[in-house]
Amino acid sequence: MFGRFDIATLIGLIAGFGLLALAVLLGDGALNFINLPSVLIVIGGTLAVTLISFNLGDVGRAFPTTFGVVFRRPRDASQAAMIAVKLADEARRKGHLGLPRTLTGVRDEPFLRKALEMVADGTPTAEIERILENDMASIQSREKGVAQILRRAAEVAPAMGLIGTLVGLVQMLNRLDSPADIGPAMALALLTTLYGAVLANMVLNPLATKIERHASDEATLNRLYAAAACSISRKENPRHLETFINSLLPPLKRVQFYAT
């Protein structure tokens, strides 16, 4: 079930909301922290203001992109680098005619598969570079756009909590002559602030950071794959590719396919 799940996200969500739930349960009980009008003001208001800031299509695409990042286990750059060098070495030994069979082993890497398909089809190297650079820019722009939407929603959520607090205070002041109605109004006033802070700082901002980190890691891996495809297309020595790939990676992530 959790084979493709980012375990860090799972641990963070469980720990964060678990500690919050424990603090609530150790108090007067969970029911005191449940208020439907507060939920509607914070979540509904945050979504509404976010839709005002962006168009419907952008916000709609943000949901699958966010879930795709959360439910996908991070890939190891060293493993990707080793795959790239091995592919270049195999192409060097067997030639481009062996690439179609290699494609079956990279089904989970659509960017690499597309790059190798262009090499196998005999696409000029300059065109491969141009197409892959455009693809990388498009992928990074899409994920950064989603992170921007989440950042904006994180800014709005506490503001909606403050608006809910003001609504609750107005209701409370209008009901000072009815003590029984003061409690629900005060709950609305306080809980909307709590909900807004939790939504912004425990959900939206961390997810935006996760997506930005994922976009950076994805860009590095795609650069590795693009370099491998172009190297194979030029029929270069795979040792040169290994040296170039290692220059893109931090020291602890560098690979050594060829014995020195």
Side-chain angles (χ1 to χ4, degrees):
M1 175 180 179
F2 300 113
R4 293 177 60 84
F5 198 93
D6 181 7
I7 191 64
T9 302
L10 179 63
I11 293 174
L13 289 173
I14 291 177
F17 283 96
L19 290 172
L20 181 62
L22 180 61
V24 169
L25 293 175
L26 290 177
D28 294 333
L31 293 179
N32 293 329
F33 289 85
I34 300 175
N35 187 278
L36 183 58
S38 297
V39 173
L40 294 176
I41 290 174
V42 173
I43 296 180
T46 299
L47 180 59
V49 175
T50 303
L51 285 172
I52 295 172
S53 303
F54 301 90
N55 62 56
L56 184 61
D58 290 338
V59 176
R61 285 188 292 270
F63 289 99
T65 301
T66 301
F67 280 107
V69 171
V70 171
F71 286 94
R72 182 172 184 177
R73 188 169 51 190
R75 292 177 294 170
D76 183 40
S78 295
Q79 183 179 1
M82 188 62 73
I83 290 173
V85 176
K86 286 181 179 179
L87 288 173
D89 182 76
E90 185 176 353
R92 173 85 168 184
R93 290 184 289 105
K94 299 181 180 179
H96 290 184
L97 295 178
L99 287 176
R101 185 176 60 182
T102 303
L103 291 175
T104 60
V106 293
R107 292 176 180 174
D108 294 334
E109 297 289 350
F111 185 90
L112 177 59
R113 182 179 178 85
K114 178 179 180 178
L116 294 179
E117 284 176 345
M118 289 190 290
V119 175
D121 291 340
T123 305
T125 304
E127 186 173 351
I128 293 176
E129 287 180 329
R130 179 178 59 81
I131 293 173
L132 294 181
E133 285 177 0
N134 290 339
D135 284 351
M136 285 188 287
S138 177
I139 293 170
Q140 195 163 25
S141 175
R142 183 181 67 246
E143 294 197 347
K144 286 187 175 180
V146 172
Q148 185 180 9
I149 291 173
L150 293 177
R151 293 286 188 200
R152 175 58 180 159
E155 294 174 358
V156 171
M160 295 308 303
L162 178 59
I163 291 173
T165 297
L166 296 175
V167 171
L169 289 175
V170 170
Q171 292 177 349
M172 184 184 67
L173 293 174
N174 286 331
R175 297 172 182 175
L176 290 178
D177 57 343
S178 179
D181 294 332
I182 294 178
M186 179 61 76
L188 175 65
L190 296 179
L191 288 177
T192 47
T193 299
L194 174 64
Y195 290 166
V198 169
L199 181 62
N201 297 293
M202 295 183 65
V203 179
L204 296 174
N205 268 325
L207 286 178
T209 301
K210 175 77 71 176
I211 290 175
E212 289 170 345
R213 177 63 183 271
H214 180 270
S216 177
D217 293 343
E218 191 83 0
T220 299
L221 264 62
N222 288 342
R223 279 197 294 270
L224 300 181
Y225 292 148
C230 292
S231 177
I232 293 172
S233 178
R234 297 191 189 98
K235 300 181 181 180
E236 295 176 343
N237 190 325
R239 292 177 182 270
H240 296 162
L241 174 64
E242 182 184 75
T243 301
F244 176 74
I245 283 178
N246 281 334
S247 71
L248 298 176
L249 298 174
L252 295 178
K253 292 288 185 180
R254 292 173 182 172
V255 298
Q256 186 176 343
F257 182 76
Y258 298 98
T260 56

